[in-house]
Amino acid sequence: MTLLSVQRLEASYGASQALFGVDLSVGEGEVVALMGRNGMGKTTTIRAVCGLMPNRSGAISFAGRDVIREKSFRIARLGIGLVPEGRRCFANLTVRENLLAAARPGKWTLDTISGLFPRLGEREGQYARTLSGGEQQMLAIGRALMTNPRLLILDEATEGLAPVIRQDIWRAIRSLKTNGESILVVDKTMSELLPVADRCVVLEKGAVAWTGRPDELTAQVQDRYLGV
Ligand code: ATP
């Protein structure tokens, strides 16, 4: 079943148009990689889906509901858990308080989150501001999961982190996939991203240039749309 369906999505920053008709979908239990070089519209697409781009048009349906005109908090409540670029947590709350502030009933609880990220469990009483960047990122993912979303969106969740922590985060993403979570993910580490993706959607100048399975992503496609 299709969980998220985006059609002809356009979005602008003031007078400057960034998306020119993006089409994509995420099925129940599917992991979709949203790809493309810098500035091609990945973050803008995510922000528009989450209701964070006031100037947007087209059609977005989530869990069978038309959400193109919904406010971001309503979309979140319908079940989209966003981990935005740049890991936002409450610095002056503890790990536990950060997680509980986001909690909604479901399988994700303090216990299951510390199963996914043992480091967070060990640091439950620590203030978020005292965590390393990687731990803060885990906390940001934990917070999104605590809302028990039907769709998790990860925007550059491993960017700028130490290699060991990146491995922990990829391990968590693989485990989420194994558990049947639906995920839309943006990440620059192709060697980790492609093995977890069921499908890739490649953006070029605010529109979809290519879509297919990771094993269909030829060197030519990579050079043309993803090369530096
Ligand atoms: P990156 O990997 O660099 O984050 P991206 O694919 O996520 O790239 P977007 O951040 O969505 O790309 O940017 C798409 C376009 O919108 C770019 O041309 C960018 O310059 C423009 N843009 C992004 N944010 C703003 C903003 N706050 N104001 C004006 N233009 C913006």
Side-chain angles (χ1 to χ4, degrees):
M1 188 199 123
T2 304
L3 187 57
L4 173 71
S5 161
V6 173
Q7 290 169 306
R8 307 176 306 279
L9 180 63
E10 301 192 13
S12 308
Y13 294 95
S16 160
Q17 190 166 351
L19 301 183
F20 297 85
V22 170
D23 296 271
L24 67 85
S25 67
V26 181
E28 202 96 56
E30 199 180 21
V31 177
V32 175
L34 182 58
M35 305 166 81
R37 284 187 293 254
N38 288 346
M40 291 304 168
K42 305 179 295 295
T43 296
T44 306
T45 299
I46 286 172
R47 288 177 51 83
V49 165
C50 294
L52 297 166
M53 291 290 298
N55 294 323
R56 63 188 188 278
S57 65
I60 303 176
S61 97
F62 178 69
R65 300 181 55 158
D66 172 13
V67 297
I68 189 75
R69 275 171 216 87
E70 292 285 8
K71 296 250 188 289
S72 57
F73 77 93
R74 291 266 312 147
I75 293 174
R77 206 168 289 168
L78 287 171
I80 297 189
L82 170 64
V83 181
E85 231 177 343
R87 55 191 102 109
R88 257 155 272 168
C89 307
F90 297 113
N92 294 325
L93 293 186
T94 64
V95 167
R96 185 192 171 83
E97 288 165 346
N98 263 282
L99 292 172
L100 289 177
R104 294 179 64 211
K107 66 182 169 187
W108 291 106
T109 60
L110 287 177
D111 278 351
T112 49
I113 296 292
S114 43
L116 187 69
F117 292 121
R119 275 165 173 271
L120 288 185
E122 292 157 17
R123 290 162 177 74
E124 241 182 42
Q126 219 170 296
Y127 287 108
R129 61 167 190 273
T130 68
L131 299 176
S132 73
E135 290 159 359
Q136 288 184 27
Q137 186 60 271
M138 290 175 183
L139 183 54
I141 297 172
R143 281 176 50 81
L145 288 172
M146 283 295 277
T147 69
N148 281 287
R150 294 183 66 177
L151 173 68
L152 180 68
I153 302 186
L154 298 167
D155 193 358
E156 307 270 16
T158 68
E159 194 176 35
L161 303 180
V164 180
I165 297 269
R166 294 165 84 112
Q167 286 313 315
D168 285 346
I169 290 177
W170 283 112
R171 196 172 306 126
I173 294 172
R174 285 192 293 271
S175 133
L176 293 173
K177 178 193 169 85
T178 307
N179 284 307
E181 300 284 348
S182 313
I183 309 175
L184 179 63
V185 51
V186 172
D187 205 284
K188 293 205 175 65
T189 319
M190 298 266 280
S191 58
E192 298 282 2
L193 179 59
L194 293 181
V196 294
D198 296 306
R199 221 146 40 73
C200 304
V201 175
V202 177
L203 296 184
E204 167 94 344
K205 295 183 183 151
V208 176
W210 187 88
T211 175
R213 291 195 315 270
D215 62 313
E216 298 170 322
L217 192 71
T218 59
Q220 266 159 308
V221 174
Q222 295 204 31
D223 280 355
R224 179 151 178 205
Y225 300 118
L226 303 168
V228 194

